[in-house]
Amino acid sequence: MSEQQRFISPEIAPRLAAIDLGSNSVRLVVAEAMPNGRYRILDEERVSTRLGRTLASTGDLDQQSIDETMDALRRFQSIIEGRRVDHVRAIATCAVREATNGADFCDDVREQLGLEIEVITANKEAHLAFLSVRRRFDLAGKNTIVADIGGGSTELVLASGELIEAIYGTQLGAVRLSERFGGGQALAGNDYEKLTKWIGRELRRVTEKPAAPLHLLIGSGGTFTSLGSMIQAARNQGNLPVAGCRVSRAELRHLIDRLRKMSPKQRREVPGINPDRADIIVPGLAVIDRVMQRFRVNVLQVHAHGVRDGLLFSMIDKLQGGGRSARPDQQAEIERFAQACGVELTHGKHVAFLARQVYEGLCGLFDLRREDAGLLAAAAQLQDVGYLINYEGHHKHSYHLILHSRLTGFTPGELEIVANVARYHRGADPKRKHANFSSLSRDDQARVEAMSAVLRLAGGLERTHNQAVKGVEVKGDRKHVELVIDCDYHPEVNIWATLRRAGLFEKVFGAEITVKWAGAAGAVSQNGRKQASAAEAPKGLPQEAG
């Protein structure tokens, strides 16, 4: 029976198991995939094994935590077998990812239990958390920050609607901070001040403030669900589900002040708290408070799901994809993403058309990769997706949106190239002090520089946004490149804009560039002036913005 046939009826729906090995606890969810892309939970199990207990002090997973985790995984396997699960996926996050003996631990699990552990990156962890939020919240028209607080780390996702604008991975885990600063009554005094200053410094080091005001913080992870439970208990709403609970920053700060003055025993008795979390709750809540301060958010909403939920959704998506082996339609994906960002698609497509013509013409003069013309065309159509965030610095926002878009049809390496080319379609030239550029190999840096230079020229040729320039032909040699443009009339503004953007081209290719209208006699413009070179742009026209 094929997987697609199994989706005909819930009675024969595939059964999935998601295992999450976190820094504080190990969790199992067994679910039945439904035809509508959702799932029904059949079983859940959670064991607090504290894999990240000694990570900050020793850099290793301690033996006690390893043994307890192995015992938990054996029990999980018995449940999985009893539930007749069809597909199992196990992921490990911060503790295993960072521990010097993390790889050895995964090898032992494989040898002893036959279970393959996938150690995911902080970026992948953030994507799974956001996938869960996107499936369960209406994000349309909202600028949000999603925070997933674990035992060893906190992942932050800035989003505009359903599109990721930035991802930040931090070392701000509740277990890690508790080990460093303690979790007892010492947090009532100077230790708490040290803790909050440490968190603040880490957030300033890792994150950038958003360009647009944020409407809401959506939080997932045990710290957030404990917060919601305690707040609802204080409101005499303990009978309500914690999912969707809204908490103001003022309520959060009052709760922190109350908890940090209690002994661990007193904290375990607070209505709504999970006793296993009593010793790490104050550091976890302090992270939430500093995140809200950093991003100027006054209200948070508790998300009762998280990484495991996103993992299950990703498994279902893969199954319902039918196992297609054909490469996805790149152009359809590009257009879908561009439209979601409000891009003027006709303009973007024409810039892509002109950029391809220029690039392919240059391949006959310079040593360029012809296959990169497709990546250049993608960057041309997506260069303005950053307008979704705001105009000022939109090229930088375009980089982040493209990088985190996960457009199918592109490898991660290709998507990084496309994002960088879009980043440099205007503004500053590529520089090795830019983190996004310096992370590329020298070969990829050269590719980005060449494609960005061409994209700037193509943007100039379509400066009037009316598709007046019908085509462009490249002539000349390696020292002097001439663009001959086809247009029904002399396109003075487009020529001017192209030459204004020629600086990067002349620096990268080491060639002088001129632009000639095909309808002109020789290199003379319509009004009799000699055609301008990059240094002789017509005066009296408005200043070109990038």
Side-chain angles (χ1 to χ4, degrees), residues 69-109:
T69 300
M70 292 291 253
D71 289 341
L73 291 176
R74 287 190 183 93
R75 293 196 292 273
F76 289 178
Q77 283 193 311
S78 295
I79 295 171
I80 289 170
E81 290 171 6
R83 289 289 188 175
R84 300 177 64 190
V85 168
D86 299 295
H87 302 279
V88 180
R89 190 171 171 194
I91 60 171
T93 53
C94 181
V96 179
R97 184 168 63 230
E98 293 186 9
T100 55
N101 60 344
D104 293 337
F105 166 73
C106 292
D107 289 342
D108 290 342
V109 172

Side-chain angles (χ1 to χ4, degrees), residues 461-510:
L461 292 172
E462 171 58 2
R463 181 65 180 87
T464 50
H465 286 241
N466 61 355
Q467 296 78 61
V469 175
K470 297 178 179 180
V472 56
E473 182 181 2
V474 177
K475 294 184 177 182
D477 52 41
R478 295 174 70 93
K479 292 185 178 180
H480 189 121
V481 173
E482 183 178 69
L483 303 183
V484 182
I485 59 179
D486 179 16
C487 186
D488 291 338
Y489 56 86
H490 184 266
E492 185 173 13
V493 171
N494 301 59
I495 291 173
W496 163 78
T498 304
L499 293 172
R500 291 282 290 183
R501 299 177 180 213
L504 179 60
F505 179 90
E506 295 189 338
K507 181 168 70 174
V508 170
F509 289 91

Side-chain angles (χ1 to χ4, degrees), residues 273-286:
I273 197 172
N274 183 332
D276 290 343
R277 197 168 287 275
D279 59 331
I280 62 173
I281 190 63
V282 173
L285 295 179

Side-chain angles (χ1 to χ4, degrees), residues 407-477:
L407 286 171
T408 54
F410 294 92
T411 67
E414 289 173 337
L415 206 56
E416 191 169 13
I417 294 291
V418 172
N420 270 279
V421 175
R423 158 70 175 84
Y424 293 113
H425 83 272
R426 69 186 292 272
D429 292 348
K431 294 182 176 64
R432 289 190 172 87
K433 69 178 182 180
H434 297 164
N436 58 285
F437 187 68
S438 63
S439 64
L440 301 173
S441 67
R442 288 297 179 93
D443 182 49
D444 285 346
Q445 287 178 358
R447 294 166 68 195
V448 166
E449 287 176 327
M451 284 188 274
S452 300
V454 172
L455 183 53
R456 292 189 183 194
L457 297 180
L461 292 172
E462 171 58 2
R463 181 65 180 87
T464 50
H465 286 241
N466 61 355
Q467 296 78 61
V469 175
K470 297 178 179 180
V472 56
E473 182 181 2
V474 177
K475 294 184 177 182
D477 52 41

Side-chain angles (χ1 to χ4, degrees), residues 92-99 102 119-123 125 153 155:
T93 53
C94 181
V96 179
R97 184 168 63 230
E98 293 186 9
V119 183
I120 63 174
T121 64
N123 191 282
E125 191 174 353
S153 64
E155 281 67 49

Side-chain angles (χ1 to χ4, degrees), residues 337-414:
F337 181 56
Q339 288 174 333
C341 296
V343 168
E344 186 184 345
L345 201 54
T346 301
H347 168 69
K349 282 185 173 181
H350 199 64
V351 173
F353 167 71
L354 296 173
R356 265 187 179 275
Q357 286 197 324
V358 174
Y359 187 86
E360 289 170 355
L362 291 171
C363 286
L365 301 177
F366 300 93
D367 184 21
L368 299 175
R369 297 190 187 190
R370 289 188 178 272
E371 61 270 22
D372 278 349
L375 300 182
L376 172 58
Q381 294 175 83
L382 299 176
Q383 63 181 2
D384 291 332
V385 295
Y387 282 138
L388 180 71
I389 310 301
N390 68 2
Y391 176 79
E392 190 63 34
H394 73 268
H395 50 299
K396 298 178 184 178
H397 299 304
S398 293
Y399 167 79
H400 292 293
L401 286 168
I402 295 168
L403 188 66
H404 299 303
S405 66
R406 299 207 157 193
L407 286 171
T408 54
F410 294 92
T411 67
E414 289 173 337

